[in-house]
Amino acid sequence: MAVWALLQPQPSCAGSGVKLNVTAAPGGRLLLHLQGQPSQAYEIQASTDLTNWTVISTNQTSGSGALTFADPQAGQFRQRFYRAVTRNNLTGLGGAGFRPDRILVRPKAGLTLSTPNLSPGVSVLNVFPALGNLHVIKVPAGMTASTLIYKYQTSGLVQYAEHTIITCRR
C-alpha cells in the first residue's frame, strides 16, 4: 500500500491552518496526526483517486489543537489520500487554505497537458505518473485559480481539475 502526500511548502507557514501527518504504526496500521485549532471539530476524509472523498472520522481536537486517529481500513487499499476539513466548512472549498498560484489537473487517458493549450502563461510544474498522470499546473499572472479550473473542467481534456491545498512541513 502507498500513502501519498502532495506537499507544497510555503515560504511562510504563518496562518496556514491545519497540518496533517501520516505515520506507520506497528501491525501495518496508519496513524494520522492533526494539528489544528484548539477544540475544533474536524472531518478526516480519505480518497483513492483525489476525486471521491469519504468521511472516515469526525473528531474534536484537544485544547492544544492536537488529534491522533488510526485508520483501521488503510491496509485494504493500494493507495490512499487523506485530508482534514473543519466541521463547520464541510465542502472544503473556498479561498482559505488554497494556493492561488497552482492547481491540480488529471488529464483524460491518452491525453497530455505538456503543451499549454488553454491560456497563455500556463505551465506544467510537475507530473506524477504514479497518480494517474496528475499534473501540477502554474496559474498565469492575471488569472485566478478558480478561472483556470473552470477552463480545464469545460475543455473536455481532463477527468478533474481542483485547487491545491496549502500545507507546511516543519
Side-chain angles (χ1 to χ4, degrees), residues 105-147:
V105 176
R106 186 174 186 182
K108 288 186 177 177
L111 296 179
T112 181
L113 300 178
S114 60
T115 304
N117 50 12
L118 295 178
S119 295
V122 171
S123 61
V124 177
L125 298 174
N126 209 339
V127 178
F128 297 93
L131 297 176
N133 214 20
L134 181 69
H135 287 55
V136 179
I137 305 290
K138 182 179 188 313
V139 177
M143 182 180 289
T144 67
S146 294
T147 299

Side-chain angles (χ1 to χ4, degrees), residues 6 8 97-100 102-104 136 162-166:
L6 301 174
Q8 305 289 336
F98 295 119
R99 289 198 61 157
R102 59 189 66 188
I103 64 171
L104 297 175
V136 179
E162 61 187 36
H163 290 276
T164 302
I165 298 172
I166 295 174

Side-chain angles (χ1 to χ4, degrees), residues 66-80:
L67 172 70
T68 299
F69 171 76
D71 181 2
Q73 298 180 338
Q76 299 176 15
F77 302 93
R78 190 177 60 83
Q79 66 183 15
R80 201 157 197 199

Side-chain angles (χ1 to χ4, degrees), residues 139-160:
V139 177
M143 182 180 289
T144 67
S146 294
T147 299
L148 188 57
I149 288 169
Y150 177 78
K151 285 185 172 198
Y152 273 109
Q153 288 173 337
T154 59
S155 72
L157 299 173
V158 303
Q159 291 179 8
Y160 62 82

Side-chain angles (χ1 to χ4, degrees), residues 8-84:
Q8 305 289 336
Q10 295 290 293
S12 169
C13 293
S16 64
V18 178
K19 290 188 290 182
L20 184 63
N21 297 307
V22 180
T23 59
R29 294 182 321 137
L30 289 180
L31 293 178
L32 286 80
H33 306 279
L34 182 139
Q35 185 63 49
Q37 297 297 314
S39 303
Q40 171 68 51
Y42 287 93
E43 284 187 346
I44 306 298
Q45 299 178 358
S47 173
T48 58
D49 61 3
L50 292 172
T51 300
N52 300 299
W53 292 90
T54 302
V55 175
I56 59 173
S57 176
T58 301
N59 289 301
Q60 184 170 341
T61 58
S62 67
S64 66
L67 172 70
T68 299
F69 171 76
D71 181 2
Q73 298 180 338
Q76 299 176 15
F77 302 93
R78 190 177 60 83
Q79 66 183 15
R80 201 157 197 199
F81 307 89
Y82 298 93
R83 70 181 182 188

Side-chain angles (χ1 to χ4, degrees), residues 83-100:
R83 70 181 182 188
V85 178
T86 56
R87 183 84 166 123
N88 58 358
N89 181 13
L90 300 182
T91 63
L93 299 175
F98 295 119
R99 289 198 61 157

